[in-house]
Amino acid sequence: MNFSIDQVSFAQKRVLIRVDFNVPLNEAREVTDDTRIRAALPTIKKVLNDGGAAILMSHLGRPKGADPELSMKHIAPKIAELLGVKVHVAPDCIGDDALAVTNSMNFGEVALLENLRFHKEETAGDEFFAGQLAEHGDVWINDAFGTAHRAHASTAVIARFFPHDKYLGYVMENEIFNVNKVLHGSEKPVLAIVGGAKVSSKIVILEQLISKVDHVLIGGGMAYTFIKAQGGNVGNSLVEDEHLGDALSIIKAAEDAGVKIHLPIDTKVADAFANDANTGVSSTGQIEEGWMGLDIGPKSIEYYSEVIQSCKTILWNGPMGVFEMSSFETGTKAVAQALVEATKNGAFTLIGGGDSVAAINKYGFADDVSYVSTGGGAMLEYLEGKVLPGIAAVAEE
Ligand code: AMP
């Protein structure tokens, strides 16, 4: 098993690459965000430059059986445009017609297999199906970080057909390298900013992070469970009463570990979950009935920005408020801006998992932070300390 494809030559090899081309399409079936395709280009180019053939496979959406709307053929023009080469499109991902395409292509060329999830065997992790996919290549590269937390046929099971010819591509390598930079041996002080709707989805991550960071900034809806657990009034804010005990345990574990957990000092409150609701600012723990906290308040923004500037390694996961509504995006935008500032001043900043990635993109700051993860759920599971099947499958002897 090799960790970097840098040390491998793919000359004269048919290289089957699992990519994550699950990209958004508009009604005309055009790609509206090509981030994931661009992310995969270095691996594909490496194979082509070595003189190999690149056979790309991915899922697109959640089809139930073959669905022309979710055909990979809609993606092919974008790949061709970005790579500057012709893309052969296979009519299926397995079977004679698909093999006819990949067997007749030349080295230096690219082929795209049809949507893997047109076959239910893909998500079932069916071994026979994985074997059929494996017929396309001499070598398998897994470069789909976005699905690395799934033990599907193309992401994990297929590895057993390439015991000596399986690799992680550059997307995978970068994701692992960058997140490990935060989790292990990073420059101190290390800060984790954790937000989002619910504390329940972040408990394991918080538990894991406490042994690795110096500060935790908490924002978003999950802050109110912490505030209520400490005896504060949170009005009609989002609270998970069944997790009040978990919030207290996390605070206690942080204290024991010498980690500082910061909660918002003040809150932007609203009288309804709506952009045009009446709004005001309440001190933390003093939110009146009939009002709900939908963003961190101005004092918290100032304070959180100072903490961010004082840290050298920073992970951000989850928005500070309901940033999809302009009335409640100020905190999230300010944190994004503070991260850009910190990056300029030499901090390593990683944006990982779901909505904080959406936020950094919304504000156009993706190029102004150190690293933006391409995998939502996969990044969350990695942060939770789980073994990702898509990585383990390559690592296993
Ligand atoms: P998550 O997927 O857990 O990271 O949560 C992201 C979602 O949390 C976003 O859609 C936000 O709108 C939502 N969110 C953030 N802050 C709040 C809040 N104070 N109340 C309700 N929802 C929130």
Side-chain angles (χ1 to χ4, degrees), residues 121-142:
E121 290 82 359
E122 162 64 359
T123 50
D126 184 88
E127 185 163 2
F128 183 73
F129 176 73
Q132 288 177 296
L133 292 174
E135 286 177 42
H136 291 287
D138 310 310
V139 175
W140 171 63
I141 296 179
N142 191 2

Side-chain angles (χ1 to χ4, degrees), residues 287-305:
I287 303 174
E288 289 172 16
E289 281 308 310
W291 293 83
M292 61 184 87
L294 295 184
D295 195 5
I296 56 173
K299 285 187 191 147
S300 311
I301 289 178
E302 206 174 306
Y303 174 57
Y304 278 20
S305 300

Side-chain angles (χ1 to χ4, degrees), residues 314-334:
I314 306 170
L315 163 76
W316 181 26
N317 174 276
M320 297 292 100
V322 185
F323 76 106
E324 297 93 334
M325 298 184 199
S326 58
S327 303
F328 310 107
E329 70 170 347
T330 316
T332 301
K333 195 170 180 182

Side-chain angles (χ1 to χ4, degrees), residues 41 65 84 91 129 155 170 184 200 222 255 309 355 364 386 397:
L41 296 180
F129 176 73
T155 63
Y170 292 127
H184 309 289
S200 51
M222 60 185 279
E255 267 169 23
Q309 297 315 330
D355 278 333
K386 289 192 183 142
E397 294 294 326

